[in-house]
Amino acid sequence: MWKLVNGKLQQTTDMSRVKFRTTISKALIDELSILAKNNNTHVNYLIESGFVNFLDNGEEITFTKDQRPKDRAHYKTTYDKELLEAIKEVAKANELYINDVIEYSTKYIDVENSKNSNYRYRIEV
């Protein structure tokens, strides 16, 4: 992101975001990539939208370990720090892995309320 300091733009790192690497379904990554491309956003913004809606919904997870996909691939991106911590707590409370909760929360993606792909280039005062 960019910050306006004394009338000049300075590029800075968004400290509210953290890098996170996990393994999630390759087919899901491919599906989300197409959805992101068609809607001018990024996959991690779509996933974050799913996180927010899943947490707001307060629904109990109906996920069993035998439902895990067999095509998992490494996926590395950044997420909002507080949002990721909330997802970690949900995973721990339900005795699941974080990647299980990530995959489950994609059912709650709201494309209309996802961040635009240019969000990372925003200017904050």
Side-chain angles (χ1 to χ4, degrees):
M1 81 175 159
W2 295 85
K3 287 200 177 211
L4 190 59
V5 180
N6 297 327
K8 294 184 180 183
L9 287 177
Q10 288 183 333
Q11 189 172 17
T12 62
T13 302
D14 188 349
M15 299 308 286
S16 68
R17 301 194 66 79
V18 292
K19 292 179 183 177
F20 188 73
R21 184 188 69 84
T22 189
T23 55
I24 59 176
S25 168
K26 176 72 170 126
L28 181 61
I29 294 170
D30 293 342
E31 181 182 320
L32 292 176
S33 294
I34 292 168
L35 185 63
K37 184 177 180 181
N38 292 339
N39 289 286
N40 194 29
T41 188
H42 294 292
V43 173
N44 60 324
Y45 293 157
L46 290 174
I47 293 173
E48 283 183 346
S49 165
F51 286 171
V52 170
N53 293 330
F54 169 70
L55 293 171
D56 287 348
N57 191 346
E59 184 179 312
E60 191 70 27
I61 293 182
T62 54
F63 182 89
T64 58
K65 295 180 180 182
D66 61 323
Q67 292 175 315
R68 287 186 174 132
K70 306 293 186 236
D71 67 335
R72 287 196 169 155
H74 289 284
Y75 183 70
K76 182 177 169 182
T77 189
T78 61
Y79 296 109
D80 179 80
K81 188 185 303 186
E82 292 177 9
L83 201 51
L84 185 59
E85 287 302 317
I87 291 299
K88 286 180 180 181
E89 290 298 319
V90 169
K92 186 176 181 181
N94 289 284
E95 297 178 359
L96 294 169
Y97 295 117
I98 296 169
N99 52 354
D100 294 332
V101 179
I102 290 171
E103 290 169 342
Y104 187 81
S105 68
T106 59
K107 297 176 186 177
Y108 297 90
I109 290 175
D110 180 7
V111 177
E112 298 299 317
N113 291 322
S114 294
K115 296 173 186 171
N116 186 291
S117 63
N118 292 327
Y119 179 78
R120 64 185 280 194
Y121 303 113
R122 70 191 181 281
I123 298 173
E124 292 188 355
V125 208

